[in-house]
Amino acid sequence: MSYAMLANTLRSAMEKQDTVAIEELVCEFQPADLAEFLRHEETEVCLKILAHLALAERAEVFGYLPLTLQAEVAEEMTLEGLAQLLSSMESDERADLFNLMEEERQVAVLKLMAHEEREDLRRMASYAEGTVGAIMTSNYASVPERASVAEALDIVRKTAPDAETIYQIYVLDNIQRLVGTLSLRELILNRPSMPISSIMTTELLTTYPDEPQEDASRMISRYDLLALPVIDAQQRLVGIVTYDDAMDVAEQEATEDILKGGTVGNLEGSLREASLFTLYRKRIVWLVLLVFANIFSAAGIALYEETISTYIVLVFFLPLLVGSAGNAGSQASTLMVRGLATGDVLITDWARMFAREFLVALGLGLTMALAVSLIGAVRGGPEIAMVVASSMVAVVMLGSLVGMSLPFLLNKLGWDPATASAPLVATIADAVGVLVYFAIATAILGL
């Protein structure tokens, strides 16, 4: 049965208060689909639906819910029920939820948890938001360095239910230092008596808990890893970052960059659930700043009032030229922001990228000038055509070079290059385009 059919049937059963049907239907949902269904329900409904699931399934579904909804539902749960839920959740997910709880509730819940789980939760919750430690999990499969293949397989069988992934297995020495890794396939294919130390890989890719989480995500993507081990200063294994967590980070970072690219502040939670005031607050600051930035465009027009009054036909081409400058600048900015974000372009590449953009922008400007000069000749004659064509080359080149350089400048200043957004670049290009256009017109027309 499809998700839409299941959702409609479940709502019908809820309206009829058919407990048996509800219990059967919730078991048919995939965990992610049931979480999607609960996202649009009231907290009380979420609690009732989750109560129909076994503890392990409940924890899995709960992990797919948005953090804000998790916190709301957790607030309505009993301390005993919440403690059981936290114990069954993945270590990184329960740490995120734990950090959203009030301090009194945190203390009360910790008292009801087993010592080992309590200490793990405290440690995982201590890492700062945005770091590798905040997204890693302590549920991994590990074997001792001196074990044989048969012994390692036996250990993996016993620990598999609690591990987030068993396809990558970590080899530790007697003080928990990471000395190697091996895959489940290598364990299965080698002889039972073979020592682990003879088949493990010792060339390790690792990261540290206080590193930025986007760096870990980038490493997993670059090297096609199933998981990335996280070690402390003593080389002891403290957790792993799995590829699915890395995908979540990549999606989150891309969303933040897109929002910044539209001069919108980062939204916490869902756009669907954001309040009107939140949406207003996230957008108004940059809009007001850009309004005042456009004063420079108006000042440029006022400065060349005599040129405009003498050749009123110039006004016809003004939107076309400044729009082209803004569009070219936005394209260049988008390319550089993405290049810097993915590591494809480094801050030291500015001179090389500037030279390349100069040549590309020159080609773009000449092509667009050729097209617009024909309109200029029809509307105002040869002189106007020359003004418009020359201005088009100049404004496209200036817009492109400003759009390309601004992300590098912001990165150098320690700001997010994504702030070099399309509206910001377009506003700067507009002001520069107006001044350049009328300056060229004044020079060519002899005014």
Side-chain angles (χ1 to χ4, degrees), residues 140-215:
Y140 51 82
S142 64
V143 294
E145 182 182 13
R146 295 181 179 178
S148 65
V149 167
E151 291 169 337
L153 279 171
D154 189 50
I155 293 171
V156 171
R157 287 190 193 98
K158 293 176 181 177
T159 59
D162 297 325
E164 188 159 339
T165 177
I166 61 170
Y167 300 110
Q168 196 70 26
I169 300 160
Y170 302 94
V171 184
L172 309 179
D173 65 11
N174 58 352
I175 57 173
Q176 299 300 300
R177 288 182 305 190
L178 180 65
V179 294
T181 66
L182 70 160
S183 67
L184 182 61
R185 173 183 295 192
E186 289 171 318
L187 272 185
I188 295 172
L189 294 180
N190 278 283
R191 296 193 312 272
S193 60
M194 181 78 71
I196 289 297
S197 57
S198 65
I199 61 173
M200 69 181 185
T201 299
T202 56
E203 296 178 2
L204 304 174
L205 291 169
T206 61
T207 188
Y208 293 94
D210 55 354
E211 292 293 315
Q213 60 185 23
E214 55 266 27
D215 289 353

Side-chain angles (χ1 to χ4, degrees), residues 50-62:
L50 290 170
H52 289 284
L53 295 170
L55 184 58
E57 295 169 342
R58 190 185 313 158
E60 187 175 3
V61 171
F62 204 83

Side-chain angles (χ1 to χ4, degrees), residues 3-23:
Y3 168 75
M5 292 178 65
L6 274 173
N8 291 332
T9 308
L10 179 55
R11 286 197 176 92
S12 177
M14 289 165 58
E15 291 173 1
K16 297 175 183 177
Q17 298 184 349
D18 189 341
T19 306
V20 175
I22 292 173
E23 191 161 344

Side-chain angles (χ1 to χ4, degrees), residues 236-247:
R236 293 174 301 193
L237 184 64
V238 294
I240 62 172
V241 178
T242 56
Y243 73 94
D244 54 330
D245 290 326
M247 288 174 60

